[in-house]
PDB file of all heavy atoms in Angstrom:
ATOM      1  N   ALA B  67      53.655  57.700 -82.410  1.00  0.00           N
ATOM      2  CA  ALA B  67      53.691  58.461 -83.721  1.00  0.00           C
ATOM      3  C   ALA B  67      55.243  58.666 -84.103  1.00  0.00           C
ATOM      4  O   ALA B  67      55.526  58.612 -85.281  1.00  0.00           O
ATOM      5  CB  ALA B  67      53.000  59.777 -83.486  1.00  0.00           C
ATOM      6  N   ILE B  68      56.051  59.001 -83.083  1.00  0.00           N
ATOM      7  CA  ILE B  68      57.381  59.235 -83.455  1.00  0.00           C
ATOM      8  C   ILE B  68      58.090  58.004 -84.039  1.00  0.00           C
ATOM      9  O   ILE B  68      58.743  57.973 -85.101  1.00  0.00           O
ATOM     10  CB  ILE B  68      58.255  59.785 -82.284  1.00  0.00           C
ATOM     11  CG1 ILE B  68      57.703  61.058 -81.761  1.00  0.00           C
ATOM     12  CG2 ILE B  68      59.720  59.799 -82.526  1.00  0.00           C
ATOM     13  CD1 ILE B  68      58.345  61.581 -80.500  1.00  0.00           C
ATOM     14  N   LEU B  69      57.852  56.872 -83.391  1.00  0.00           N
ATOM     15  CA  LEU B  69      58.359  55.657 -83.862  1.00  0.00           C
ATOM     16  C   LEU B  69      57.823  55.282 -85.175  1.00  0.00           C
ATOM     17  O   LEU B  69      58.529  54.690 -86.085  1.00  0.00           O
ATOM     18  CB  LEU B  69      58.165  54.586 -82.812  1.00  0.00           C
ATOM     19  CG  LEU B  69      59.116  54.673 -81.689  1.00  0.00           C
ATOM     20  CD1 LEU B  69      58.740  53.800 -80.461  1.00  0.00           C
ATOM     21  CD2 LEU B  69      60.526  54.379 -82.047  1.00  0.00           C
ATOM     22  N   GLY B  70      56.525  55.485 -85.351  1.00  0.00           N
ATOM     23  CA  GLY B  70      55.938  55.248 -86.627  1.00  0.00           C
ATOM     24  C   GLY B  70      56.566  55.996 -87.820  1.00  0.00           C
ATOM     25  O   GLY B  70      56.848  55.455 -88.878  1.00  0.00           O
ATOM     26  N   THR B  71      56.755  57.276 -87.516  1.00  0.00           N
ATOM     27  CA  THR B  71      57.444  58.098 -88.493  1.00  0.00           C
ATOM     28  C   THR B  71      58.924  57.567 -88.806  1.00  0.00           C
ATOM     29  O   THR B  71      59.319  57.565 -89.951  1.00  0.00           O
ATOM     30  CB  THR B  71      57.504  59.503 -88.024  1.00  0.00           C
ATOM     31  OG1 THR B  71      56.203  60.018 -88.067  1.00  0.00           O
ATOM     32  CG2 THR B  71      58.434  60.394 -88.921  1.00  0.00           C
ATOM     33  N   LEU B  72      59.615  57.133 -87.758  1.00  0.00           N
ATOM     34  CA  LEU B  72      60.948  56.600 -87.940  1.00  0.00           C
ATOM     35  C   LEU B  72      60.838  55.454 -88.792  1.00  0.00           C
ATOM     36  O   LEU B  72      61.691  55.185 -89.711  1.00  0.00           O
ATOM     37  CB  LEU B  72      61.638  56.223 -86.598  1.00  0.00           C
ATOM     38  CG  LEU B  72      62.068  57.488 -85.791  1.00  0.00           C
ATOM     39  CD1 LEU B  72      62.701  56.948 -84.515  1.00  0.00           C
ATOM     40  CD2 LEU B  72      63.151  58.198 -86.636  1.00  0.00           C
ATOM     41  N   TRP B  73      59.902  54.549 -88.644  1.00  0.00           N
ATOM     42  CA  TRP B  73      59.689  53.380 -89.531  1.00  0.00           C
ATOM     43  C   TRP B  73      59.566  53.852 -90.942  1.00  0.00           C
ATOM     44  O   TRP B  73      60.089  53.301 -91.912  1.00  0.00           O
ATOM     45  CB  TRP B  73      58.561  52.519 -89.066  1.00  0.00           C
ATOM     46  CG  TRP B  73      58.942  51.498 -88.060  1.00  0.00           C
ATOM     47  CD1 TRP B  73      58.992  51.693 -86.682  1.00  0.00           C
ATOM     48  CD2 TRP B  73      59.275  50.115 -88.286  1.00  0.00           C
ATOM     49  NE1 TRP B  73      59.468  50.522 -86.129  1.00  0.00           N
ATOM     50  CE2 TRP B  73      59.625  49.594 -86.973  1.00  0.00           C
ATOM     51  CE3 TRP B  73      59.412  49.310 -89.395  1.00  0.00           C
ATOM     52  CZ2 TRP B  73      60.013  48.268 -86.882  1.00  0.00           C
ATOM     53  CZ3 TRP B  73      59.803  47.918 -89.224  1.00  0.00           C
ATOM     54  CH2 TRP B  73      60.031  47.420 -87.967  1.00  0.00           C
ATOM     55  N   LEU B  74      58.587  54.775 -91.163  1.00  0.00           N
ATOM     56  CA  LEU B  74      58.343  55.254 -92.447  1.00  0.00           C
ATOM     57  C   LEU B  74      59.656  55.868 -93.087  1.00  0.00           C
ATOM     58  O   LEU B  74      59.985  55.494 -94.267  1.00  0.00           O
ATOM     59  CB  LEU B  74      57.299  56.368 -92.502  1.00  0.00           C
ATOM     60  CG  LEU B  74      55.828  55.916 -92.171  1.00  0.00           C
ATOM     61  CD1 LEU B  74      54.917  57.128 -92.033  1.00  0.00           C
ATOM     62  CD2 LEU B  74      55.338  54.959 -93.158  1.00  0.00           C
ATOM     63  N   MET B  75      60.396  56.606 -92.332  1.00  0.00           N
ATOM     64  CA  MET B  75      61.652  57.202 -92.875  1.00  0.00           C
ATOM     65  C   MET B  75      62.594  56.050 -93.232  1.00  0.00           C
ATOM     66  O   MET B  75      63.170  56.168 -94.349  1.00  0.00           O
ATOM     67  CB  MET B  75      62.350  57.985 -91.753  1.00  0.00           C
ATOM     68  CG  MET B  75      62.022  59.443 -91.757  1.00  0.00           C
ATOM     69  SD  MET B  75      62.706  60.184 -90.323  1.00  0.00           S
ATOM     70  CE  MET B  75      64.456  60.149 -90.691  1.00  0.00           C
ATOM     71  N   GLY B  76      62.682  55.029 -92.472  1.00  0.00           N
ATOM     72  CA  GLY B  76      63.594  53.893 -92.720  1.00  0.00           C
ATOM     73  C   GLY B  76      63.192  53.297 -94.148  1.00  0.00           C
ATOM     74  O   GLY B  76      64.049  52.999 -94.910  1.00  0.00           O
ATOM     75  N   ILE B  77      61.921  53.047 -94.246  1.00  0.00           N
ATOM     76  CA  ILE B  77      61.426  52.411 -95.459  1.00  0.00           C
ATOM     77  C   ILE B  77      61.785  53.288 -96.737  1.00  0.00           C
ATOM     78  O   ILE B  77      62.216  52.862 -97.716  1.00  0.00           O
ATOM     79  CB  ILE B  77      59.937  52.080 -95.384  1.00  0.00           C
ATOM     80  CG1 ILE B  77      59.789  51.022 -94.314  1.00  0.00           C
ATOM     81  CG2 ILE B  77      59.460  51.577 -96.723  1.00  0.00           C
ATOM     82  CD1 ILE B  77      58.253  50.755 -93.905  1.00  0.00           C
ATOM     83  N   VAL B  78      61.510  54.624 -96.528  1.00  0.00           N
ATOM     84  CA  VAL B  78      61.826  55.572 -97.653  1.00  0.00           C
ATOM     85  C   VAL B  78      63.324  55.498 -97.959  1.00  0.00           C
ATOM     86  O   VAL B  78      63.695  55.477 -99.085  1.00  0.00           O
ATOM     87  CB  VAL B  78      61.325  56.961 -97.270  1.00  0.00           C
ATOM     88  CG1 VAL B  78      61.936  57.967 -98.222  1.00  0.00           C
ATOM     89  CG2 VAL B  78      59.775  57.120 -97.288  1.00  0.00           C
ATOM     90  N   ILE B  79      64.137  55.479 -96.883  1.00  0.00           N
ATOM     91  CA  ILE B  79      65.557  55.524 -97.159  1.00  0.00           C
ATOM     92  C   ILE B  79      65.955  54.272 -97.925  1.00  0.00           C
ATOM     93  O   ILE B  79      66.776  54.335 -98.817  1.00  0.00           O
ATOM     94  CB  ILE B  79      66.370  55.658 -95.827  1.00  0.00           C
ATOM     95  CG1 ILE B  79      66.213  57.157 -95.302  1.00  0.00           C
ATOM     96  CG2 ILE B  79      67.786  55.277 -95.977  1.00  0.00           C
ATOM     97  CD1 ILE B  79      66.703  57.351 -93.897  1.00  0.00           C
ATOM     98  N   VAL B  80      65.457  53.162 -97.536  1.00  0.00           N
ATOM     99  CA  VAL B  80      65.794  51.858 -98.196  1.00  0.00           C
ATOM    100  C   VAL B  80      65.233  51.715 -99.572  1.00  0.00           C
ATOM    101  O   VAL B  80      65.854  51.225-100.515  1.00  0.00           O
ATOM    102  CB  VAL B  80      65.399  50.681 -97.236  1.00  0.00           C
ATOM    103  CG1 VAL B  80      65.633  49.427 -98.000  1.00  0.00           C
ATOM    104  CG2 VAL B  80      66.222  50.712 -95.973  1.00  0.00           C
ATOM    105  N   ALA B  81      64.019  52.227 -99.687  1.00  0.00           N
ATOM    106  CA  ALA B  81      63.325  52.039-101.004  1.00  0.00           C
ATOM    107  C   ALA B  81      63.581  53.112-102.027  1.00  0.00           C
ATOM    108  O   ALA B  81      63.914  52.926-103.098  1.00  0.00           O
ATOM    109  CB  ALA B  81      61.842  51.738-100.771  1.00  0.00           C
TER     110      ALA B  81
END
Side-chain angles (χ1 to χ4, degrees):
Chain B
I68 294 175
L69 286 167
T71 290
L72 284 179
W73 272 83
L74 290 175
M75 265 172 73
I77 293 168
V78 166
I79 287 169
V80 171

